[in-house]
Each structure stands twice: as C-alpha cells, then as structure tokens.
C-alpha cells in the first residue's frame, strides 16, 4: 500500500486521506465525513461535509456502508498515533462498501463489487477513492459490518500468531484485552490449531463469553496479578504472549515466556487512561518500557518481536496473501468477526467511549446511516 492522496474538502482546510468522488451521474456533489478537528476528547471528531472528486487512474470509488473503529483511532484522537497526518484529517483505516466508479486502467474490479478497504487513514466517509490495490473482494455471505471488522484485527492477529509466533499444536498463548477486536480474532485463529491453551485477560463480566469462545483460563486483570495466575496453572509460563499494553506489562510478558517462547508487542494501550492525553501515564509507560540487549536475549533463549500494521504500507503482496488466507478461513466457517455494536456517524463519540472504557466484546462499527434499532447490538 502507498500513502493516501488528499481529499478535496468542503471546508477550507484539507484533510489528508483517500479522495472521495463527486463527479456527475449518481454521485452527490457533497457527502459526509468524520473529521478529527484537533487532538483531545471525544468532541474533537465531528461530522463535516466534503466535496468529492472523480477517481484517479488506478483508483476505485467506493460507497461506504460500514467502517471499523480501532484502538489506534482512539490514540490518534489524542495525538499518540504517528501514522495519522495532522488535523484536520479524516481518520479510519478500514471500511467496506460497494464499488461505484472506476478510474482509468482498473481492470480487476467492476462497478457493483462488494469490497473491503484498508488504508493508513481517511476511510470514515460516505464515499472514498482508494488505489485498487487497497481493496479486497468480500467473501460470499459476509455482511458489510463483518467486512469492516476483518482486515485490521485479523491481519494483525494472523501475522502475530503465525508469521512471528509460529503457533503450533499443543502450545499456550496469553492474549491481553482478549474481548477486544484483535483479542477476539486471535482466539478464533488459535482455535484453528490443535490443542492450543489460551489464557486471556479481561474484566470479570466478560469471562463467560471468553470461555464460550475458547479461552481456557480467563483472568481478571483488574483484581488479580495475571502473571501469578498464569504461573499457578502453567509454572513454566507460556509459549507466546500478545502484548498490546507496553510499559511494565512488556517486562512481565517476557518473564512469562517459556524457553523458546516469543513475545510480540503491537501497541501501547497503557498510554490511554482517559479522554485526553495523560502526561503522567505517558511518563510512567515510557519509564517502565522494556529494554533488553542482544546478549541477554542469547542467554534467555527467547524472542521479542514488534508488529505495526501501519508501517506495512508497501507490503502489498504480503498483505494480500494474508487476506486470502483469512477469506478462506471465513469461507470454511473457522473465523467470523464478532460485532459488539453498530453506531451511526452522528454517534461517533459514544462509539469511541464504548471502546475506550473497554465495554465492548468484539468490534465496534461505524456506519454512515443510523442502523435499525434491532441491530444496534449484534449477536454474532
């Protein structure tokens, strides 16, 4: 993937991200977009009108039906995510919709195709233009909400578990934030491998759901020391730790690894403690950040890996191969995105609050239009 072109906004200031088309025919001259107007609280993301443009050569224009909300979007709102251009900017790294127009030279998509879209930013809009290489055909039977929940979380979980983690039968895995988007994806992917023991941290109210999904040992991180709890059950520790937390938790994760174990760090969720940037939390997290030398690693017989999907922009073929595997698993019924809730653009603040307060079990979805009341809480 490459960096996104800048859309032409209705407001005076430009917002970097995939360009939305206006053009003639059935395309509206203006459409709605969610725009991060500045760093701070929930009120910094506002619905604004944007004027569109025709797709450029090599691009497709997509009518957006659903967008994914990710933890990185919450960090971006506070100015803690370096892959988002400065405000005013349209956030959004994934969406799903229908191809409505083709730029010159596009041969492998047709108007009417249902597609999933992955980009660095700019997808929280009613209509977007993106390079065709950023789009992936939706598998048969998948809803737009599921499609908007697949790419970021499942690509991340798959590459962490299988490319870095080399997950094999009879191993054990610790998944933090196990009820979230990546956590849910990781649990389902672990279940595709024989006899994998899953430890998962989450608040106590989510433990029954986690057990039903395949977590053998849910741990309430709010009332227990999860490292001690893991050791009680598995004195030697675990084979793989998925670490989205950072700070002192990365050190705990490393110490929980068995010989030949692998720690994969892919976030710094400990930075996020409230609506706005918390300098004390930042200082504490960075002060406690895990550090190790190559010589120490040699003696430990352990591996430490770092993963950041936002820096995989140019790895188009690699990402396409991962998505193909995920689509195959979906078609076989082995994975299925779990939707926590669906929110219209107008309620983006409530959607972000749902995720930031860790009330979600599964993916939080944004849609341009208000969903039907009965689908507000999906039971996927």
């Amino acid at each position: 993937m490459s960096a996104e072109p800048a859309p032409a906004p209705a407001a005076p200031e430009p917002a970097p991200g995939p360009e939305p088309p206006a053009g003639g025919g059935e395309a509206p001259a203006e459409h709605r977009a969610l725009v991060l107007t500045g760093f701070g609280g929930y009120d910094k993301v506002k619905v604004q009108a944007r004027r569109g443009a025709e797709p450029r050569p090599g691009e497709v224009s997509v009518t957006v039906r659903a967008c994914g909300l990710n933890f990185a979007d919450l960090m971006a709102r506070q100015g803690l995510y370096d892959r988002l251009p400065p405000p005013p900017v349209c956030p959004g790294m994934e969406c799903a919709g229908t191809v409505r127009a083709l730029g010159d030279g596009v041969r492998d998509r047709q108007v009417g195709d249902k597609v999933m879209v992955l980009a660095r930013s700019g997808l929280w809009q009613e209509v977007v233009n993106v390079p065709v290489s950023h789009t992936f055909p939706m598998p048969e039977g998948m809803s737009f909400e599921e499609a908007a929940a697949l790419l970021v979380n499942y690509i991340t979980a798959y590459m962490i578990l299988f490319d870095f983690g080399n997950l094999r039968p009879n191993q054990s895995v610790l998944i933090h934030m196990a009820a979230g988007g990546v956590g849910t994806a990781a649990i389902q992917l672990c279940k595709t491998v024989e006899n994998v023991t899953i430890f998962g941290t989450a608040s106590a109210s989510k433990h029954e759901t986690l057990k039903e999904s395949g977590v053998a040992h849910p741990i309430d991180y709010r009332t227990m020391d999860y490292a001690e709890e893991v050791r009680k059950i598995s004195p030697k520790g675990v084979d793989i730790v998925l670490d989205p937390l950072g700070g002192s938790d990365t050190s705990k994760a490393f110490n929980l690894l068995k010989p030949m174990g692998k720690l994969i760090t892919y976030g710094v969720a400990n930075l996020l403690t409230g609506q706005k940037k918390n300098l004390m939390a930042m200082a504490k997290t960075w002060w406690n950040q895990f550090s190790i030398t190559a010589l120490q690693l040699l003696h430990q017989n352990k591996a430490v890996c770092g993963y950041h999907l936002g820096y995989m922009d140019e790895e188009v073929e690699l990402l396409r191969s991962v998505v193909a595997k995920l689509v195959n698993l979906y078609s076989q019924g082995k994975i299925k995105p779990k939707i926590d809730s669906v929110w219209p653009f107008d309620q983006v603040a409530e959607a972000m609050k749902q995720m930031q307060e860790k009330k979600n079990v599964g993916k939080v979805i944004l849609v341009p239009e208000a969903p039907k009341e009965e689908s507000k809480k999906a039971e996927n």
Side-chain angles (χ1 to χ4, degrees), residues 194-273:
E194 185 180 0
N195 197 33
V196 171
T197 302
I198 306 172
F199 296 82
T201 64
S203 55
S205 62
K206 301 175 181 179
H207 285 192
E208 204 55 47
T209 301
L210 290 181
K211 286 181 180 178
E212 292 171 2
S213 66
V215 176
H217 307 290
I219 301 170
D220 184 358
Y221 65 96
R222 295 179 178 177
T223 62
M224 300 176 177
D225 182 324
Y226 63 82
E228 289 183 5
E229 295 302 309
V230 170
R231 292 282 187 194
K232 287 177 186 176
I233 299 162
S234 178
K236 286 189 175 182
V238 295
D239 296 291
I240 301 171
V241 179
L242 279 61
D243 172 36
L245 303 175
S248 59
D249 287 291
T250 307
S251 299
K252 290 175 75 171
F254 184 79
N255 291 329
L256 271 175
L257 291 177
K258 294 178 179 179
M260 299 306 293
K262 302 171 187 70
L263 162 63
I264 303 96
T265 180
Y266 66 99
V268 198
N270 284 335
L271 290 177
L272 217 62
T273 60

Coordinates of all heavy atoms in Angstrom, one line a residue, residues 194-273:
E194 N -4.6 -27.3 16.6 CA -5.0 -28.3 17.5 C -4.4 -28.1 18.9 O -3.2 -27.8 19.1 CB -4.5 -29.7 17.0 CG -5.0 -30.9 17.8 CD -4.5 -32.2 17.3 OE1 -3.8 -32.2 16.2 OE2 -4.8 -33.2 17.9
N195 N -5.3 -28.2 19.9 CA -4.9 -28.3 21.3 C -4.0 -27.1 21.8 O -3.0 -27.2 22.5 CB -4.1 -29.6 21.6 CG -4.1 -29.9 23.1 OD1 -5.0 -29.6 23.8 ND2 -3.0 -30.5 23.5
V196 N -4.4 -25.9 21.4 CA -3.8 -24.7 21.9 C -4.5 -24.2 23.2 O -5.7 -24.0 23.2 CB -3.8 -23.5 20.8 CG1 -3.3 -22.2 21.4 CG2 -2.9 -23.9 19.7
T197 N -3.7 -24.0 24.2 CA -4.3 -23.5 25.5 C -4.2 -22.0 25.5 O -3.1 -21.4 25.4 CB -3.5 -24.0 26.7 OG1 -3.5 -25.5 26.7 CG2 -4.1 -23.6 28.0
I198 N -5.4 -21.3 25.7 CA -5.5 -19.9 25.7 C -5.7 -19.3 27.1 O -6.7 -19.7 27.7 CB -6.6 -19.4 24.7 CG1 -6.4 -20.1 23.3 CG2 -6.7 -17.9 24.6 CD1 -7.6 -19.8 22.4
F199 N -4.8 -18.4 27.5 CA -5.0 -17.5 28.6 C -5.5 -16.2 28.1 O -4.9 -15.7 27.2 CB -3.8 -17.4 29.4 CG -3.2 -18.6 30.1 CD1 -2.5 -19.5 29.3 CD2 -3.5 -18.9 31.4 CE1 -2.0 -20.7 29.9 CE2 -3.0 -20.1 32.0 CZ -2.2 -21.0 31.2
G200 N -6.5 -15.6 28.7 CA -7.0 -14.3 28.2 C -7.3 -13.4 29.3 O -8.0 -13.7 30.3
T201 N -6.8 -12.1 29.3 CA -7.1 -11.1 30.3 C -8.3 -10.3 29.8 O -8.4 -9.9 28.7 CB -5.9 -10.2 30.6 OG1 -5.6 -9.4 29.5 CG2 -4.7 -11.0 31.1
A202 N -9.2 -10.0 30.8 CA -10.4 -9.2 30.5 C -11.1 -9.0 31.9 O -10.9 -9.7 32.8 CB -11.4 -9.9 29.5
S203 N -12.0 -8.0 31.9 CA -12.8 -7.8 33.2 C -13.7 -9.0 33.4 O -14.1 -9.7 32.5 CB -13.6 -6.5 33.1 OG -14.4 -6.5 31.9
A204 N -14.1 -9.2 34.7 CA -14.8 -10.4 35.1 C -16.1 -10.6 34.3 O -16.5 -11.7 34.0 CB -15.0 -10.4 36.6
S205 N -16.8 -9.5 34.0 CA -18.1 -9.6 33.3 C -18.0 -10.2 31.9 O -19.0 -10.6 31.4 CB -18.7 -8.2 33.2 OG -17.9 -7.3 32.4
K206 N -16.8 -10.3 31.4 CA -16.6 -10.8 30.0 C -16.1 -12.3 30.0 O -16.0 -12.9 29.0 CB -15.6 -10.0 29.2 CG -16.1 -8.5 29.1 CD -15.0 -7.7 28.4 CE -15.4 -6.2 28.3 NZ -14.4 -5.4 27.7
H207 N -15.9 -12.9 31.2 CA -15.3 -14.2 31.3 C -16.1 -15.3 30.7 O -15.6 -16.2 30.1 CB -14.9 -14.5 32.7 CG -13.7 -13.7 33.2 ND1 -13.0 -14.0 34.4 CD2 -13.0 -12.7 32.6 CE1 -12.0 -13.2 34.5 NE2 -12.0 -12.4 33.5
E208 N -17.4 -15.2 30.9 CA -18.3 -16.3 30.4 C -18.3 -16.3 28.9 O -18.2 -17.4 28.3 CB -19.7 -16.1 30.9 CG -20.6 -17.4 30.9 CD -19.9 -18.5 31.7 OE1 -19.5 -18.3 32.9 OE2 -19.9 -19.6 31.2
T209 N -18.3 -15.1 28.3 CA -18.2 -15.0 26.8 C -16.9 -15.6 26.3 O -16.8 -16.3 25.3 CB -18.4 -13.6 26.4 OG1 -19.7 -13.1 26.8 CG2 -18.3 -13.5 24.9
L210 N -15.8 -15.2 27.1 CA -14.5 -15.7 26.7 C -14.4 -17.2 26.7 O -13.8 -17.9 25.8 CB -13.4 -15.1 27.5 CG -13.1 -13.6 27.3 CD1 -12.0 -13.1 28.2 CD2 -12.8 -13.3 25.9
K211 N -14.9 -17.8 27.8 CA -14.9 -19.3 27.9 C -15.7 -19.9 26.7 O -15.2 -20.9 26.2 CB -15.6 -19.7 29.2 CG -14.7 -19.4 30.5 CD -15.4 -19.9 31.7 CE -14.5 -19.6 33.0 NZ -15.2 -20.0 34.2
E212 N -16.8 -19.3 26.4 CA -17.6 -19.9 25.3 C -16.9 -19.8 24.0 O -17.0 -20.6 23.1 CB -18.9 -19.1 25.2 CG -19.9 -19.4 26.3 CD -21.1 -18.5 26.3 OE1 -21.2 -17.6 25.4 OE2 -21.9 -18.5 27.2
S213 N -16.0 -18.8 23.8 CA -15.3 -18.6 22.6 C -14.0 -19.5 22.5 O -13.4 -19.5 21.5 CB -14.9 -17.1 22.4 OG -14.0 -16.7 23.4
G214 N -13.6 -20.1 23.7 CA -12.4 -20.9 23.6 C -11.3 -20.6 24.5 O -10.2 -21.2 24.5
V215 N -11.5 -19.6 25.4 CA -10.4 -19.2 26.3 C -10.5 -20.2 27.5 O -11.5 -20.2 28.3 CB -10.5 -17.8 26.8 CG1 -9.5 -17.5 27.9 CG2 -10.4 -16.8 25.6
A216 N -9.4 -21.0 27.7 CA -9.4 -22.0 28.8 C -9.3 -21.3 30.2 O -9.9 -21.7 31.2 CB -8.3 -22.9 28.6
H217 N -8.6 -20.2 30.2 CA -8.3 -19.6 31.5 C -8.4 -18.0 31.4 O -7.5 -17.3 31.2 CB -6.8 -19.9 32.0 CG -6.6 -21.4 32.0 ND1 -7.1 -22.2 32.9 CD2 -5.8 -22.1 31.2 CE1 -6.7 -23.5 32.7 NE2 -5.9 -23.4 31.6
P218 N -9.7 -17.5 31.6 CA -9.9 -16.1 31.6 C -9.3 -15.5 33.0 O -9.5 -16.2 34.0 CB -11.4 -15.9 31.6 CG -12.0 -17.2 31.3 CD -10.9 -18.2 31.7
I219 N -8.7 -14.4 32.9 CA -8.1 -13.8 34.1 C -8.6 -12.3 34.2 O -8.5 -11.5 33.3 CB -6.5 -13.8 34.0 CG1 -6.1 -15.3 33.9 CG2 -5.9 -13.1 35.3 CD1 -4.6 -15.4 33.6
D220 N -9.0 -11.9 35.4 CA -9.5 -10.6 35.7 C -8.3 -9.7 36.0 O -7.8 -9.8 37.2 CB -10.5 -10.5 36.8 CG -11.1 -9.1 37.0 OD1 -10.6 -8.2 36.3 OD2 -12.0 -9.0 37.8
Y221 N -7.8 -9.0 35.1 CA -6.6 -8.2 35.3 C -6.8 -7.0 36.3 O -5.8 -6.5 36.8 CB -6.1 -7.6 34.0 CG -7.0 -6.6 33.4 CD1 -6.9 -5.2 33.6 CD2 -8.1 -7.0 32.6 CE1 -7.7 -4.3 33.0 CE2 -9.0 -6.1 32.1 CZ -8.8 -4.7 32.3 OH -9.7 -3.8 31.7
R222 N -8.1 -6.7 36.6 CA -8.3 -5.6 37.5 C -8.2 -6.0 38.9 O -7.9 -5.2 39.8 CB -9.8 -5.1 37.2 CG -9.9 -4.4 35.8 CD -11.3 -3.9 35.6 NE -11.5 -3.3 34.3 CZ -12.6 -2.8 33.9 NH1 -13.7 -2.9 34.6 NH2 -12.6 -2.2 32.7
T223 N -8.4 -7.3 39.2 CA -8.4 -7.7 40.6 C -7.3 -8.8 40.9 O -7.1 -9.1 42.1 CB -9.7 -8.4 41.0 OG1 -10.0 -9.5 40.2 CG2 -10.9 -7.4 40.8
M224 N -6.6 -9.2 39.9 CA -5.6 -10.3 40.0 C -4.3 -9.9 39.3 O -4.3 -9.1 38.4 CB -6.0 -11.6 39.4 CG -7.3 -12.2 40.0 SD -7.8 -13.7 39.2 CE -9.2 -14.2 40.1
D225 N -3.2 -10.4 39.8 CA -1.9 -10.3 39.1 C -1.9 -11.5 38.1 O -1.8 -12.6 38.4 CB -0.7 -10.5 40.1 CG 0.6 -10.4 39.4 OD1 0.7 -10.8 38.2 OD2 1.5 -9.8 40.0
Y226 N -2.1 -11.1 36.8 CA -2.3 -12.1 35.7 C -1.0 -13.0 35.6 O -1.1 -14.2 35.3 CB -2.6 -11.5 34.4 CG -1.6 -10.5 33.8 CD1 -0.5 -11.0 33.1 CD2 -1.7 -9.2 33.9 CE1 0.4 -10.2 32.6 CE2 -0.8 -8.3 33.4 CZ 0.3 -8.8 32.7 OH 1.2 -8.0 32.2
A227 N 0.1 -12.4 35.9 CA 1.4 -13.3 35.8 C 1.3 -14.4 36.8 O 1.7 -15.5 36.5 CB 2.6 -12.4 36.0
E228 N 0.9 -14.0 38.0 CA 0.8 -15.1 39.1 C -0.2 -16.1 38.7 O 0.0 -17.3 39.0 CB 0.5 -14.4 40.4 CG 1.6 -13.6 41.0 CD 1.2 -13.0 42.4 OE1 0.1 -13.3 42.9 OE2 1.9 -12.2 43.0
E229 N -1.3 -15.7 38.2 CA -2.4 -16.6 37.8 C -1.9 -17.6 36.7 O -2.3 -18.8 36.8 CB -3.7 -15.8 37.4 CG -4.3 -15.0 38.4 CD -4.7 -15.8 39.6 OE1 -5.4 -16.9 39.5 OE2 -4.3 -15.5 40.8
V230 N -1.2 -17.1 35.7 CA -0.7 -17.9 34.7 C 0.3 -19.0 35.3 O 0.2 -20.2 35.0 CB 0.0 -17.1 33.6 CG1 0.8 -18.0 32.6 CG2 -1.0 -16.3 32.8
R231 N 1.2 -18.5 36.2 CA 2.1 -19.4 36.8 C 1.5 -20.5 37.7 O 2.0 -21.6 37.7 CB 3.1 -18.6 37.7 CG 4.0 -17.7 36.9 CD 5.2 -18.4 36.3 NE 6.1 -17.5 35.7 CZ 7.1 -17.8 34.9 NH1 7.2 -19.1 34.5 NH2 7.9 -17.0 34.4
K232 N 0.4 -20.2 38.3 CA -0.3 -21.2 39.1 C -0.8 -22.4 38.2 O -0.8 -23.5 38.6 CB -1.6 -20.6 39.8 CG -1.3 -19.7 40.9 CD -2.6 -19.1 41.5 CE -2.3 -18.0 42.5 NZ -3.6 -17.4 43.0
I233 N -1.2 -22.0 37.0 CA -1.7 -23.1 36.1 C -0.6 -23.7 35.2 O -0.6 -24.9 35.0 CB -2.8 -22.4 35.2 CG1 -4.0 -21.9 36.0 CG2 -3.3 -23.4 34.1 CD1 -4.9 -20.9 35.3
S234 N 0.3 -22.8 34.8 CA 1.4 -23.3 34.0 C 2.7 -22.7 34.5 O 3.2 -21.7 34.2 CB 1.2 -22.8 32.5 OG 2.3 -23.2 31.7
P235 N 3.4 -23.5 35.5 CA 4.5 -22.9 36.2 C 5.7 -22.5 35.3 O 6.4 -21.6 35.6 CB 5.0 -24.1 37.1 CG 3.7 -24.9 37.3 CD 2.9 -24.8 36.0
K236 N 5.8 -23.1 34.1 CA 6.9 -22.7 33.2 C 6.5 -21.5 32.4 O 7.4 -21.0 31.7 CB 7.2 -23.9 32.3 CG 8.0 -25.0 32.9 CD 8.5 -26.0 31.9 CE 9.4 -27.1 32.5 NZ 9.9 -28.0 31.5
G237 N 5.3 -21.1 32.4 CA 4.8 -20.0 31.6 C 4.1 -20.4 30.3 O 3.5 -21.4 30.3
V238 N 4.2 -19.5 29.3 CA 3.5 -19.8 28.0 C 4.5 -19.7 26.9 O 5.6 -19.2 27.0 CB 2.4 -18.8 27.8 CG1 1.3 -19.0 28.9 CG2 2.9 -17.3 27.9
D239 N 4.0 -20.1 25.7 CA 4.9 -20.1 24.5 C 4.9 -18.8 23.8 O 5.8 -18.4 23.2 CB 4.5 -21.2 23.6 CG 4.7 -22.6 24.2 OD1 5.8 -23.0 24.3 OD2 3.6 -23.3 24.5
I240 N 3.7 -18.1 23.8 CA 3.5 -16.9 23.0 C 2.7 -15.9 23.9 O 1.7 -16.3 24.5 CB 2.8 -17.1 21.7 CG1 3.5 -18.1 20.8 CG2 2.5 -15.8 21.0 CD1 2.7 -18.6 19.6
V241 N 3.2 -14.6 23.9 CA 2.4 -13.6 24.6 C 2.2 -12.5 23.5 O 3.1 -12.0 22.9 CB 3.2 -12.9 25.8 CG1 2.3 -11.8 26.4 CG2 3.5 -14.0 26.8
L242 N 0.9 -12.1 23.4 CA 0.5 -11.0 22.6 C 0.4 -9.8 23.5 O -0.5 -9.7 24.4 CB -0.9 -11.2 21.9 CG -0.9 -12.1 20.6 CD1 -0.4 -13.5 20.9 CD2 -2.3 -12.2 20.0
D243 N 1.2 -8.8 23.2 CA 1.3 -7.6 24.1 C 0.9 -6.3 23.4 O 1.7 -5.7 22.7 CB 2.7 -7.5 24.7 CG 2.9 -6.2 25.4 OD1 2.0 -5.8 26.1 OD2 4.0 -5.6 25.4
P244 N -0.3 -5.8 23.7 CA -0.8 -4.5 23.2 C -0.6 -3.4 24.2 O -1.1 -2.3 24.0 CB -2.2 -4.8 22.8 CG -2.7 -5.7 23.9 CD -1.5 -6.6 24.3
L245 N 0.0 -3.8 25.4 CA -0.1 -2.9 26.5 C 1.1 -1.9 26.7 O 1.0 -0.7 26.9 CB -0.3 -3.7 27.8 CG -1.5 -4.6 27.9 CD1 -1.5 -5.5 29.1 CD2 -2.8 -3.8 27.8
G246 N 2.3 -2.5 26.5 CA 3.5 -1.7 26.7 C 3.9 -1.5 28.1 O 3.2 -2.0 29.1
G247 N 4.9 -0.6 28.4 CA 5.3 -0.3 29.7 C 5.8 -1.5 30.5 O 6.4 -2.5 30.0
S248 N 5.4 -1.6 31.8 CA 5.9 -2.7 32.7 C 5.3 -4.0 32.3 O 5.8 -5.1 32.6 CB 5.5 -2.3 34.1 OG 4.1 -2.2 34.3
D249 N 4.1 -4.0 31.5 CA 3.5 -5.2 31.1 C 4.3 -6.0 30.1 O 4.3 -7.2 30.0 CB 2.1 -5.0 30.6 CG 1.1 -4.6 31.6 OD1 0.8 -5.5 32.4 OD2 0.7 -3.5 31.7
T250 N 5.1 -5.3 29.3 CA 6.0 -6.0 28.4 C 7.1 -6.8 29.1 O 7.4 -7.9 28.7 CB 6.7 -4.9 27.4 OG1 5.7 -4.1 26.8 CG2 7.4 -5.7 26.3
S251 N 7.6 -6.2 30.2 CA 8.6 -6.9 31.0 C 8.0 -8.2 31.6 O 8.6 -9.3 31.7 CB 9.1 -6.0 32.1 OG 9.8 -4.9 31.6
K252 N 6.7 -8.0 32.2 CA 6.0 -9.2 32.7 C 5.8 -10.3 31.7 O 5.9 -11.4 31.9 CB 4.7 -8.7 33.3 CG 4.8 -7.9 34.6 CD 3.5 -7.4 35.0 CE 2.6 -8.4 35.7 NZ 1.4 -7.9 36.3
A253 N 5.5 -9.8 30.5 CA 5.2 -10.8 29.4 C 6.5 -11.5 29.0 O 6.5 -12.8 28.9 CB 4.8 -10.0 28.1
F254 N 7.7 -10.8 29.0 CA 8.9 -11.5 28.7 C 9.3 -12.5 29.7 O 9.7 -13.7 29.4 CB 10.0 -10.5 28.5 CG 11.4 -11.1 28.1 CD1 11.6 -11.4 26.8 CD2 12.4 -11.3 29.1 CE1 12.8 -11.9 26.4 CE2 13.6 -11.9 28.7 CZ 13.8 -12.1 27.3
N255 N 9.0 -12.2 31.0 CA 9.3 -13.1 32.1 C 8.4 -14.3 32.1 O 8.7 -15.3 32.7 CB 9.3 -12.3 33.4 CG 10.5 -11.4 33.5 OD1 11.5 -11.6 33.0 ND2 10.2 -10.2 34.2
L256 N 7.2 -14.2 31.5 CA 6.3 -15.3 31.4 C 6.6 -16.3 30.3 O 5.9 -17.4 30.3 CB 4.9 -14.8 31.2 CG 4.1 -14.4 32.5 CD1 2.7 -13.8 32.1 CD2 3.8 -15.6 33.4
L257 N 7.5 -16.0 29.5 CA 7.8 -16.9 28.4 C 8.6 -18.1 28.8 O 9.5 -18.1 29.6 CB 8.6 -16.2 27.3 CG 7.9 -15.1 26.5 CD1 8.9 -14.4 25.5 CD2 6.7 -15.6 25.7
K258 N 8.2 -19.3 28.2 CA 9.0 -20.5 28.3 C 10.2 -20.3 27.5 O 10.3 -19.5 26.6 CB 8.2 -21.7 27.8 CG 6.9 -22.1 28.6 CD 6.3 -23.2 27.8 CE 5.0 -23.7 28.6 NZ 4.4 -24.8 27.8
P259 N 11.2 -21.2 27.7 CA 12.4 -21.3 26.8 C 11.8 -21.5 25.3 O 10.9 -22.3 25.1 CB 13.2 -22.5 27.3 CG 12.9 -22.6 28.7 CD 11.4 -22.2 28.8
M260 N 12.4 -20.7 24.4 CA 12.0 -20.7 23.0 C 10.6 -20.0 22.8 O 10.0 -20.1 21.8 CB 11.9 -22.1 22.4 CG 13.2 -22.8 22.4 SD 14.6 -21.9 21.6 CE 14.0 -21.9 19.9
G261 N 10.2 -19.3 23.9 CA 8.9 -18.5 23.8 C 9.1 -17.2 23.0 O 10.2 -16.7 22.8
K262 N 8.0 -16.7 22.6 CA 8.0 -15.5 21.7 C 7.1 -14.4 22.3 O 5.9 -14.7 22.5 CB 7.6 -15.8 20.3 CG 8.5 -16.9 19.7 CD 8.0 -17.3 18.3 CE 8.8 -18.5 17.8 NZ 8.6 -19.7 18.6
L263 N 7.6 -13.2 22.5 CA 6.8 -12.0 22.8 C 6.6 -11.2 21.6 O 7.6 -10.8 21.0 CB 7.5 -11.3 24.0 CG 7.1 -9.8 24.2 CD1 5.6 -9.7 24.7 CD2 8.0 -9.2 25.2
I264 N 5.4 -10.9 21.3 CA 5.1 -10.0 20.2 C 4.4 -8.7 20.7 O 3.3 -8.8 21.2 CB 4.3 -10.6 19.0 CG1 4.9 -11.9 18.5 CG2 4.1 -9.6 17.9 CD1 4.5 -13.2 19.1
T265 N 5.0 -7.6 20.7 CA 4.4 -6.4 21.1 C 3.9 -5.6 19.9 O 4.5 -5.5 18.9 CB 5.5 -5.5 21.9 OG1 4.8 -4.3 22.4 CG2 6.7 -5.2 21.1
Y266 N 2.6 -5.1 20.1 CA 2.0 -4.5 18.9 C 1.2 -3.3 19.3 O 0.3 -2.8 18.6 CB 1.1 -5.5 18.2 CG -0.1 -6.0 18.9 CD1 -1.4 -5.5 18.7 CD2 0.0 -7.1 19.8 CE1 -2.5 -6.0 19.3 CE2 -1.1 -7.6 20.5 CZ -2.3 -7.0 20.2 OH -3.4 -7.5 20.9
G267 N 1.4 -2.7 20.5 CA 0.7 -1.5 20.9 C 1.2 -1.0 22.3 O 2.0 -1.6 22.9
V268 N 0.7 0.2 22.6 CA 1.0 0.8 23.9 C -0.3 1.3 24.5 O -0.5 2.5 24.8 CB 2.0 2.0 23.7 CG1 2.7 2.3 25.1 CG2 3.1 1.6 22.7
A269 N -1.2 0.4 24.8 CA -2.6 0.8 25.3 C -2.5 1.4 26.6 O -3.4 2.2 27.0 CB -3.5 -0.5 25.3
N270 N -1.4 1.2 27.4 CA -1.3 1.8 28.7 C -1.2 3.3 28.7 O -1.3 3.9 29.7 CB -0.1 1.2 29.4 CG -0.3 -0.2 30.0 OD1 -1.5 -0.6 30.2 ND2 0.7 -1.0 30.1
L271 N -0.9 3.8 27.5 CA -0.9 5.3 27.3 C -2.2 5.9 27.5 O -2.4 7.1 27.8 CB -0.3 5.7 26.0 CG 1.2 5.4 25.8 CD1 1.6 5.8 24.4 CD2 2.1 6.2 26.8
L272 N -3.3 5.1 27.2 CA -4.6 5.7 27.1 C -5.3 5.4 28.5 O -5.7 4.3 28.8 CB -5.4 4.9 26.0 CG -6.4 5.8 25.2 CD1 -5.7 6.9 24.5 CD2 -7.1 4.9 24.2
T273 N -5.5 6.5 29.2 CA -6.1 6.4 30.5 C -7.4 7.2 30.6 O -8.1 7.1 31.6 CB -5.1 6.9 31.6 OG1 -4.8 8.2 31.4 CG2 -3.9 6.0 31.6

